[in-house]
Amino acid sequence: MSSNTPRQPIRDLRFFLTVPHTCSYLAGREATTLFLDPQESPGGGVYDALALLGFRRSGRHLYRPHCEGCSACISVRIPVADFSANRTQRKLVRRNADLELRVRPALFDVEHYALYAQYIRTRHSDGDMYPPSHEQYRTFLTLDQDYARLLELRLDGRLLAVSAFDQLEHGLSAIYTFFDPAPELERRSLGTFAVLALVERARTLGLPHVYLGYWIQECRKMAYKQAFQPLEMLEGRHWRRLIPS
């Protein structure tokens, strides 16, 4: 059990609520999002403090769900010191041992965008991120800040995957991963391997957590997060172990 609370005072920050909109995860539901005022600086410990309260980053915006009558979105994180890869995950690590991992700033790159566009067109043509565009990619995954990073996964120079993440004071925050959808690469489970790579990076850096964003029990697309055990969930202002169902 963990009960971290933010050290940075946030009472003077300004926030805005969106108007209700269609929920991206649960059919027939409406969602409302709480955003930090874009004029507020996310530096100086603000981002670190808000991450402990379940906020995420998309581009230059920090946000979290704030839906009336619904608390389905649960912030989850991996406690790095206690994490133990299961048999399937250990196989993936061995299977991807031939990949080169490289961390870069979260700046626009033509090669990255080409892979992103291919991924969205192939895997998410029915989602709200389709069709992909340069502007969409830039506003979502690029940011000229020291904490914003991109993890490249390459095989003999060929770009297979990119995982966007932030390096915070108390952990790494996984933002989004996109990868080559070629059928011959399916056995590599590049999305899962990217999370395992972030766990290992956090361990190397001495950071205690890897934040996986939101988990919704009713959403099948998020079921993979439960494979990382132990997992902690945010309840109010306290993080507690999520008991597997």
Side-chain angles (χ1 to χ4, degrees), residues 16-36:
F16 295 103
L17 278 176
T18 65
V19 297
H21 53 276
T22 302
C23 179
S24 300
Y25 301 107
L26 298 177
R29 303 277 188 94
E30 284 193 331
T32 307
T33 306
L34 181 69
F35 278 95
L36 175 67

Side-chain angles (χ1 to χ4, degrees), residues 106-124 129 132 136-138 140-142 149-154 159-165 175-182 185 189-192 194-195:
L107 304 178
F108 182 82
D109 182 279
V110 173
E111 186 182 20
H112 292 175
Y113 173 74
L115 182 61
Y116 170 82
Q118 180 188 18
Y119 175 77
I120 296 297
R121 292 189 184 108
T122 305
R123 299 289 293 264
H124 297 289
M129 296 173 68
Q136 174 207 63
Y137 177 84
R138 287 179 186 273
F140 178 33
L141 295 176
T142 67
R149 314 284 175 85
L150 297 174
L151 173 65
E152 292 182 341
L153 279 62
R154 292 182 180 272
L159 183 66
L160 298 190
V162 176
S163 182
F165 71 97
I175 295 175
Y176 193 75
T177 297
F178 54 94
F179 49 84
D180 191 326
L185 298 174
S189 297
L190 292 167
T192 295
V195 175

Side-chain angles (χ1 to χ4, degrees), residues 41-63:
S41 171
V46 170
Y47 186 4
D48 292 278
L50 291 177
L52 287 172
L53 294 176
F55 278 75
R56 301 278 294 158
R57 182 179 68 81
S58 177
R60 55 190 290 265
H61 300 288
L62 297 180
Y63 72 95

Side-chain angles (χ1 to χ4, degrees), residues 13 21 31 51-52 63 66 81 83 92 112-113 126 143 160 175 206-207 214 220 231-232 234 243:
L13 298 177
H21 53 276
L52 287 172
Y63 72 95
H66 192 83
F83 173 74
L92 284 180
H112 292 175
Y113 173 74
D126 59 345
L143 186 68
L160 298 190
I175 295 175
L207 297 173
Y214 304 114
R220 293 196 320 178
L231 201 61
E232 294 180 348
L234 181 62
I243 306 301

